[in-house]
Amino acid sequence: SLYGFNLSLRKLKAPPGLDQNRVPFSQRKLQFSTRFLPITGPFHSEYLASAPELAMQDIQANGWTLDATDIRIPAFSGDDGRLLSEEKDLSRKLVDSLCVLPVDWPKATAMEGITHMVDFGPGGISGIGGLTNRNKEGTGVRVILGGALESSNPDLSTKASLFDTRASSVVFSQNWQRDYAPRLVRTECDGKLQIDTPMSRLLGKPPVMVAGMTPSTISEVFVSAVMRAGYHIELSGGGHFSEPMLRDKVDKILKLVDPGLGVSINSIYINPFLWNIQYPAMQSMRREGIPMEGLCIGAGVPSFEVTNEIIASIRAVGFRHIGLKPSSVATIRLVIKIAQANPDFPILLQWTGGRAGGHHSYEDFHHPILDTYGAIRAQKNIVLVAGSGFGGVDDTLPFLT
């Protein structure tokens, strides 16, 4: 029956190597893997429903019963995480746990206030430690492989960590709630209450922005109005077909805003005509002291080598950040690779998905970010920005909080 079930699943899943980046998310084949477990019996299932009673007869006949009051250190049940010391019939609980009860590992390891877990099992990186690490990712819990001398996963510590007595050697894992949840702070200069996030710390503005889009953010009146209101906005490169046009627009914007504010521009690399005009022009303006502070590359991410060259060039003239707009899991990982190569330069990873019309992506909004979230958060210089048809407080607030 399992063999037939597996054959049925094969008809549903995407074959290896199938590129579905240009297929709308709702029309894609599922991506998953299956394998038969190397076990000698159908443990943790109803197929062994008759076994506990038989086992208990042998246990009682041989005097092997266990008393929960004899437990000296905390031990937890694998199906619900409860203390085994509170069980009325510990022997039956252990037999049931082996034979028929499921293992709910996230619930069994849902313990408050801990920073490290040690896996003493034989599986190494492929064992229960690796599974626990994936379950605990972003919770501030570091998993140590007590039986492994080395690990190919930098997020998993090894046996050596247990014997290093230096306080400085203790490695802690990221706690996303602590590190990235928005906080309320008061600015010292004026005592006003502000929202504090990685984005607001980078830009010095609220964590809401107006992304560059033609024709919406071409007008100097609109762009300057958003800047005067205190928000970040990208001047769209579309519609600026010469360097004098771009310079004139930037000059008009700066005359309409307070001194000290800088201009960020959204330019499209895959449009060589506009890019070859705007890219050199924005660098020249910055060298002249005109406050060009950010560049966003729209409609796709250039290659790793090209983007590294762009970052080196704009950093050299004084730009403060770059925005990149990936369209798939593959290009999100490309942005992460670029961030790793430029760890001291801020990158705004602007994710829009395809639900706002599919202009930038064929992807579902949530799945690619959930798939890559841990890798994104591992890069301190990435600021994650979400946008996909948001139109008000009700749909925006959950993504800020």
PDB file of all heavy atoms in Angstrom, residues 359-384:
ATOM      1  N   HIS A 359       3.859  42.011 -11.815  1.00  0.00           N
ATOM      2  CA  HIS A 359       4.797  42.831 -12.572  1.00  0.00           C
ATOM      3  C   HIS A 359       6.242  42.395 -12.323  1.00  0.00           C
ATOM      4  O   HIS A 359       7.061  42.387 -13.232  1.00  0.00           O
ATOM      5  CB  HIS A 359       4.616  44.304 -12.175  1.00  0.00           C
ATOM      6  CG  HIS A 359       5.576  45.235 -12.854  1.00  0.00           C
ATOM      7  ND1 HIS A 359       5.532  45.467 -14.205  1.00  0.00           N
ATOM      8  CD2 HIS A 359       6.593  45.974 -12.375  1.00  0.00           C
ATOM      9  CE1 HIS A 359       6.483  46.328 -14.527  1.00  0.00           C
ATOM     10  NE2 HIS A 359       7.143  46.648 -13.430  1.00  0.00           N
ATOM     11  N   HIS A 360       6.554  42.021 -11.080  1.00  0.00           N
ATOM     12  CA  HIS A 360       7.927  41.655 -10.749  1.00  0.00           C
ATOM     13  C   HIS A 360       8.115  40.162 -10.535  1.00  0.00           C
ATOM     14  O   HIS A 360       9.229  39.703 -10.437  1.00  0.00           O
ATOM     15  CB  HIS A 360       8.379  42.398  -9.479  1.00  0.00           C
ATOM     16  CG  HIS A 360       8.564  43.865  -9.689  1.00  0.00           C
ATOM     17  ND1 HIS A 360       9.579  44.380 -10.460  1.00  0.00           N
ATOM     18  CD2 HIS A 360       7.874  44.923  -9.229  1.00  0.00           C
ATOM     19  CE1 HIS A 360       9.509  45.693 -10.462  1.00  0.00           C
ATOM     20  NE2 HIS A 360       8.485  46.054  -9.724  1.00  0.00           N
ATOM     21  N   SER A 361       7.057  39.396 -10.408  1.00  0.00           N
ATOM     22  CA  SER A 361       7.241  38.020  -9.999  1.00  0.00           C
ATOM     23  C   SER A 361       6.018  37.169 -10.341  1.00  0.00           C
ATOM     24  O   SER A 361       4.899  37.659 -10.380  1.00  0.00           O
ATOM     25  CB  SER A 361       7.494  37.973  -8.490  1.00  0.00           C
ATOM     26  OG  SER A 361       7.549  36.651  -8.026  1.00  0.00           O
ATOM     27  N   TYR A 362       6.274  35.879 -10.541  1.00  0.00           N
ATOM     28  CA  TYR A 362       5.201  34.901 -10.709  1.00  0.00           C
ATOM     29  C   TYR A 362       4.967  34.133  -9.411  1.00  0.00           C
ATOM     30  O   TYR A 362       4.216  33.176  -9.387  1.00  0.00           O
ATOM     31  CB  TYR A 362       5.581  33.905 -11.820  1.00  0.00           C
ATOM     32  CG  TYR A 362       5.424  34.464 -13.215  1.00  0.00           C
ATOM     33  CD1 TYR A 362       6.416  35.233 -13.795  1.00  0.00           C
ATOM     34  CD2 TYR A 362       4.272  34.216 -13.962  1.00  0.00           C
ATOM     35  CE1 TYR A 362       6.286  35.740 -15.072  1.00  0.00           C
ATOM     36  CE2 TYR A 362       4.129  34.710 -15.246  1.00  0.00           C
ATOM     37  CZ  TYR A 362       5.139  35.475 -15.795  1.00  0.00           C
ATOM     38  OH  TYR A 362       5.010  35.981 -17.056  1.00  0.00           O
ATOM     39  N   GLU A 363       5.653  34.546  -8.341  1.00  0.00           N
ATOM     40  CA  GLU A 363       5.655  33.774  -7.107  1.00  0.00           C
ATOM     41  C   GLU A 363       4.503  34.134  -6.178  1.00  0.00           C
ATOM     42  O   GLU A 363       3.970  35.243  -6.223  1.00  0.00           O
ATOM     43  CB  GLU A 363       6.977  34.005  -6.355  1.00  0.00           C
ATOM     44  CG  GLU A 363       8.219  33.612  -7.122  1.00  0.00           C
ATOM     45  CD  GLU A 363       8.416  32.109  -7.160  1.00  0.00           C
ATOM     46  OE1 GLU A 363       7.747  31.401  -6.382  1.00  0.00           O
ATOM     47  OE2 GLU A 363       9.238  31.646  -7.973  1.00  0.00           O
ATOM     48  N   ASP A 364       4.180  33.182  -5.320  1.00  0.00           N
ATOM     49  CA  ASP A 364       3.355  33.463  -4.161  1.00  0.00           C
ATOM     50  C   ASP A 364       4.110  34.449  -3.279  1.00  0.00           C
ATOM     51  O   ASP A 364       5.347  34.454  -3.245  1.00  0.00           O
ATOM     52  CB  ASP A 364       3.082  32.163  -3.405  1.00  0.00           C
ATOM     53  CG  ASP A 364       2.434  32.398  -2.058  1.00  0.00           C
ATOM     54  OD1 ASP A 364       1.257  32.798  -2.041  1.00  0.00           O
ATOM     55  OD2 ASP A 364       3.107  32.191  -1.038  1.00  0.00           O
ATOM     56  N   PHE A 365       3.389  35.302  -2.553  1.00  0.00           N
ATOM     57  CA  PHE A 365       4.056  36.312  -1.727  1.00  0.00           C
ATOM     58  C   PHE A 365       4.797  35.683  -0.547  1.00  0.00           C
ATOM     59  O   PHE A 365       5.930  36.052  -0.240  1.00  0.00           O
ATOM     60  CB  PHE A 365       3.028  37.327  -1.214  1.00  0.00           C
ATOM     61  CG  PHE A 365       3.610  38.386  -0.330  1.00  0.00           C
ATOM     62  CD1 PHE A 365       4.328  39.442  -0.870  1.00  0.00           C
ATOM     63  CD2 PHE A 365       3.462  38.316   1.041  1.00  0.00           C
ATOM     64  CE1 PHE A 365       4.880  40.421  -0.057  1.00  0.00           C
ATOM     65  CE2 PHE A 365       4.006  39.285   1.868  1.00  0.00           C
ATOM     66  CZ  PHE A 365       4.714  40.338   1.317  1.00  0.00           C
ATOM     67  N   HIS A 366       4.173  34.704   0.121  1.00  0.00           N
ATOM     68  CA  HIS A 366       4.709  34.211   1.391  1.00  0.00           C
ATOM     69  C   HIS A 366       5.744  33.096   1.232  1.00  0.00           C
ATOM     70  O   HIS A 366       6.766  33.095   1.925  1.00  0.00           O
ATOM     71  CB  HIS A 366       3.558  33.695   2.266  1.00  0.00           C
ATOM     72  CG  HIS A 366       2.543  34.744   2.603  1.00  0.00           C
ATOM     73  ND1 HIS A 366       1.430  34.969   1.820  1.00  0.00           N
ATOM     74  CD2 HIS A 366       2.482  35.629   3.613  1.00  0.00           C
ATOM     75  CE1 HIS A 366       0.728  35.959   2.347  1.00  0.00           C
ATOM     76  NE2 HIS A 366       1.328  36.365   3.430  1.00  0.00           N
ATOM     77  N   HIS A 367       5.492  32.139   0.350  1.00  0.00           N
ATOM     78  CA  HIS A 367       6.307  30.929   0.308  1.00  0.00           C
ATOM     79  C   HIS A 367       7.800  31.197   0.093  1.00  0.00           C
ATOM     80  O   HIS A 367       8.637  30.639   0.831  1.00  0.00           O
ATOM     81  CB  HIS A 367       5.771  29.975  -0.769  1.00  0.00           C
ATOM     82  CG  HIS A 367       6.579  28.730  -0.916  1.00  0.00           C
ATOM     83  ND1 HIS A 367       7.569  28.602  -1.867  1.00  0.00           N
ATOM     84  CD2 HIS A 367       6.568  27.560  -0.218  1.00  0.00           C
ATOM     85  CE1 HIS A 367       8.122  27.413  -1.765  1.00  0.00           C
ATOM     86  NE2 HIS A 367       7.538  26.771  -0.782  1.00  0.00           N
ATOM     87  N   PRO A 368       8.209  32.002  -0.885  1.00  0.00           N
ATOM     88  CA  PRO A 368       9.655  32.210  -1.078  1.00  0.00           C
ATOM     89  C   PRO A 368      10.342  32.850   0.121  1.00  0.00           C
ATOM     90  O   PRO A 368      11.492  32.522   0.428  1.00  0.00           O
ATOM     91  CB  PRO A 368       9.707  33.124  -2.315  1.00  0.00           C
ATOM     92  CG  PRO A 368       8.430  32.853  -3.039  1.00  0.00           C
ATOM     93  CD  PRO A 368       7.414  32.643  -1.958  1.00  0.00           C
ATOM     94  N   ILE A 369       9.658  33.774   0.808  1.00  0.00           N
ATOM     95  CA  ILE A 369      10.274  34.399   1.977  1.00  0.00           C
ATOM     96  C   ILE A 369      10.363  33.408   3.127  1.00  0.00           C
ATOM     97  O   ILE A 369      11.379  33.347   3.838  1.00  0.00           O
ATOM     98  CB  ILE A 369       9.465  35.650   2.396  1.00  0.00           C
ATOM     99  CG1 ILE A 369       9.595  36.737   1.328  1.00  0.00           C
ATOM    100  CG2 ILE A 369       9.955  36.185   3.745  1.00  0.00           C
ATOM    101  CD1 ILE A 369      11.015  37.226   1.097  1.00  0.00           C
ATOM    102  N   LEU A 370       9.325  32.600   3.335  1.00  0.00           N
ATOM    103  CA  LEU A 370       9.396  31.581   4.378  1.00  0.00           C
ATOM    104  C   LEU A 370      10.505  30.581   4.091  1.00  0.00           C
ATOM    105  O   LEU A 370      11.190  30.097   5.001  1.00  0.00           O
ATOM    106  CB  LEU A 370       8.045  30.856   4.494  1.00  0.00           C
ATOM    107  CG  LEU A 370       6.869  31.701   5.005  1.00  0.00           C
ATOM    108  CD1 LEU A 370       5.575  30.895   4.925  1.00  0.00           C
ATOM    109  CD2 LEU A 370       7.115  32.160   6.432  1.00  0.00           C
ATOM    110  N   ASP A 371      10.716  30.284   2.813  1.00  0.00           N
ATOM    111  CA  ASP A 371      11.730  29.312   2.412  1.00  0.00           C
ATOM    112  C   ASP A 371      13.141  29.840   2.656  1.00  0.00           C
ATOM    113  O   ASP A 371      14.071  29.065   2.898  1.00  0.00           O
ATOM    114  CB  ASP A 371      11.534  28.961   0.930  1.00  0.00           C
ATOM    115  CG  ASP A 371      12.322  27.737   0.515  1.00  0.00           C
ATOM    116  OD1 ASP A 371      12.510  26.840   1.356  1.00  0.00           O
ATOM    117  OD2 ASP A 371      12.751  27.670  -0.643  1.00  0.00           O
ATOM    118  N   THR A 372      13.328  31.140   2.597  1.00  0.00           N
ATOM    119  CA  THR A 372      14.667  31.732   2.681  1.00  0.00           C
ATOM    120  C   THR A 372      14.850  32.639   3.897  1.00  0.00           C
ATOM    121  O   THR A 372      15.893  33.276   4.030  1.00  0.00           O
ATOM    122  CB  THR A 372      14.949  32.563   1.415  1.00  0.00           C
ATOM    123  OG1 THR A 372      13.925  33.581   1.273  1.00  0.00           O
ATOM    124  CG2 THR A 372      14.937  31.697   0.162  1.00  0.00           C
ATOM    125  N   TYR A 373      13.859  32.694   4.777  1.00  0.00           N
ATOM    126  CA  TYR A 373      13.870  33.688   5.858  1.00  0.00           C
ATOM    127  C   TYR A 373      15.098  33.557   6.757  1.00  0.00           C
ATOM    128  O   TYR A 373      15.732  34.552   7.129  1.00  0.00           O
ATOM    129  CB  TYR A 373      12.593  33.576   6.687  1.00  0.00           C
ATOM    130  CG  TYR A 373      12.386  34.736   7.631  1.00  0.00           C
ATOM    131  CD1 TYR A 373      11.871  35.946   7.167  1.00  0.00           C
ATOM    132  CD2 TYR A 373      12.714  34.632   8.978  1.00  0.00           C
ATOM    133  CE1 TYR A 373      11.679  37.018   8.027  1.00  0.00           C
ATOM    134  CE2 TYR A 373      12.527  35.702   9.839  1.00  0.00           C
ATOM    135  CZ  TYR A 373      12.007  36.883   9.358  1.00  0.00           C
ATOM    136  OH  TYR A 373      11.828  37.946  10.208  1.00  0.00           O
ATOM    137  N   GLY A 374      15.439  32.320   7.123  1.00  0.00           N
ATOM    138  CA  GLY A 374      16.596  32.121   7.989  1.00  0.00           C
ATOM    139  C   GLY A 374      17.879  32.641   7.360  1.00  0.00           C
ATOM    140  O   GLY A 374      18.702  33.272   8.027  1.00  0.00           O
ATOM    141  N   ALA A 375      18.063  32.382   6.060  1.00  0.00           N
ATOM    142  CA  ALA A 375      19.264  32.850   5.365  1.00  0.00           C
ATOM    143  C   ALA A 375      19.276  34.367   5.241  1.00  0.00           C
ATOM    144  O   ALA A 375      20.332  34.999   5.324  1.00  0.00           O
ATOM    145  CB  ALA A 375      19.343  32.207   3.979  1.00  0.00           C
ATOM    146  N   ILE A 376      18.092  34.964   5.049  1.00  0.00           N
ATOM    147  CA  ILE A 376      18.003  36.428   4.985  1.00  0.00           C
ATOM    148  C   ILE A 376      18.417  37.033   6.317  1.00  0.00           C
ATOM    149  O   ILE A 376      19.229  37.967   6.383  1.00  0.00           O
ATOM    150  CB  ILE A 376      16.574  36.874   4.621  1.00  0.00           C
ATOM    151  CG1 ILE A 376      16.237  36.489   3.183  1.00  0.00           C
ATOM    152  CG2 ILE A 376      16.411  38.381   4.802  1.00  0.00           C
ATOM    153  CD1 ILE A 376      14.780  36.706   2.812  1.00  0.00           C
ATOM    154  N   ARG A 377      17.866  36.504   7.415  1.00  0.00           N
ATOM    155  CA  ARG A 377      18.146  37.058   8.734  1.00  0.00           C
ATOM    156  C   ARG A 377      19.586  36.815   9.176  1.00  0.00           C
ATOM    157  O   ARG A 377      20.078  37.496  10.071  1.00  0.00           O
ATOM    158  CB  ARG A 377      17.169  36.482   9.757  1.00  0.00           C
ATOM    159  CG  ARG A 377      15.748  37.013   9.612  1.00  0.00           C
ATOM    160  CD  ARG A 377      15.717  38.513   9.498  1.00  0.00           C
ATOM    161  NE  ARG A 377      14.371  39.076   9.617  1.00  0.00           N
ATOM    162  CZ  ARG A 377      14.053  40.288   9.223  1.00  0.00           C
ATOM    163  NH1 ARG A 377      14.970  41.071   8.655  1.00  0.00           N
ATOM    164  NH2 ARG A 377      12.825  40.749   9.382  1.00  0.00           N
ATOM    165  N   ALA A 378      20.255  35.848   8.569  1.00  0.00           N
ATOM    166  CA  ALA A 378      21.660  35.599   8.910  1.00  0.00           C
ATOM    167  C   ALA A 378      22.561  36.714   8.410  1.00  0.00           C
ATOM    168  O   ALA A 378      23.692  36.848   8.883  1.00  0.00           O
ATOM    169  CB  ALA A 378      22.108  34.253   8.345  1.00  0.00           C
ATOM    170  N   GLN A 379      22.056  37.525   7.465  1.00  0.00           N
ATOM    171  CA  GLN A 379      22.847  38.640   6.920  1.00  0.00           C
ATOM    172  C   GLN A 379      22.400  39.942   7.570  1.00  0.00           C
ATOM    173  O   GLN A 379      21.334  40.459   7.270  1.00  0.00           O
ATOM    174  CB  GLN A 379      22.687  38.720   5.406  1.00  0.00           C
ATOM    175  CG  GLN A 379      23.326  37.581   4.645  1.00  0.00           C
ATOM    176  CD  GLN A 379      24.793  37.416   4.994  1.00  0.00           C
ATOM    177  OE1 GLN A 379      25.220  36.344   5.407  1.00  0.00           O
ATOM    178  NE2 GLN A 379      25.565  38.480   4.850  1.00  0.00           N
ATOM    179  N   LYS A 380      23.223  40.457   8.454  1.00  0.00           N
ATOM    180  CA  LYS A 380      22.859  41.650   9.222  1.00  0.00           C
ATOM    181  C   LYS A 380      22.688  42.888   8.349  1.00  0.00           C
ATOM    182  O   LYS A 380      22.028  43.853   8.750  1.00  0.00           O
ATOM    183  CB  LYS A 380      23.923  41.926  10.289  1.00  0.00           C
ATOM    184  CG  LYS A 380      24.034  40.842  11.348  1.00  0.00           C
ATOM    185  CD  LYS A 380      22.802  40.796  12.218  1.00  0.00           C
ATOM    186  CE  LYS A 380      22.995  39.842  13.387  1.00  0.00           C
ATOM    187  NZ  LYS A 380      21.814  39.781  14.266  1.00  0.00           N
ATOM    188  N   ASN A 381      23.292  42.900   7.168  1.00  0.00           N
ATOM    189  CA  ASN A 381      23.216  44.094   6.315  1.00  0.00           C
ATOM    190  C   ASN A 381      22.012  44.074   5.373  1.00  0.00           C
ATOM    191  O   ASN A 381      21.844  44.995   4.568  1.00  0.00           O
ATOM    192  CB  ASN A 381      24.497  44.263   5.496  1.00  0.00           C
ATOM    193  CG  ASN A 381      24.818  43.059   4.619  1.00  0.00           C
ATOM    194  OD1 ASN A 381      24.565  41.924   5.002  1.00  0.00           O
ATOM    195  ND2 ASN A 381      25.378  43.308   3.450  1.00  0.00           N
ATOM    196  N   ILE A 382      21.149  43.045   5.471  1.00  0.00           N
ATOM    197  CA  ILE A 382      19.933  43.008   4.663  1.00  0.00           C
ATOM    198  C   ILE A 382      18.779  43.590   5.463  1.00  0.00           C
ATOM    199  O   ILE A 382      18.518  43.173   6.589  1.00  0.00           O
ATOM    200  CB  ILE A 382      19.595  41.579   4.217  1.00  0.00           C
ATOM    201  CG1 ILE A 382      20.602  41.070   3.183  1.00  0.00           C
ATOM    202  CG2 ILE A 382      18.187  41.527   3.611  1.00  0.00           C
ATOM    203  CD1 ILE A 382      20.305  39.666   2.671  1.00  0.00           C
ATOM    204  N   VAL A 383      18.089  44.550   4.881  1.00  0.00           N
ATOM    205  CA  VAL A 383      16.846  45.077   5.437  1.00  0.00           C
ATOM    206  C   VAL A 383      15.720  44.535   4.561  1.00  0.00           C
ATOM    207  O   VAL A 383      15.667  44.803   3.363  1.00  0.00           O
ATOM    208  CB  VAL A 383      16.836  46.621   5.435  1.00  0.00           C
ATOM    209  CG1 VAL A 383      15.476  47.138   5.885  1.00  0.00           C
ATOM    210  CG2 VAL A 383      17.934  47.152   6.337  1.00  0.00           C
ATOM    211  N   LEU A 384      14.827  43.757   5.161  1.00  0.00           N
ATOM    212  CA  LEU A 384      13.754  43.105   4.408  1.00  0.00           C
ATOM    213  C   LEU A 384      12.550  44.031   4.314  1.00  0.00           C
ATOM    214  O   LEU A 384      12.004  44.460   5.326  1.00  0.00           O
ATOM    215  CB  LEU A 384      13.369  41.792   5.085  1.00  0.00           C
ATOM    216  CG  LEU A 384      12.258  40.965   4.432  1.00  0.00           C
ATOM    217  CD1 LEU A 384      12.637  40.580   3.004  1.00  0.00           C
ATOM    218  CD2 LEU A 384      11.969  39.714   5.266  1.00  0.00           C
TER     219      LEU A 384
END
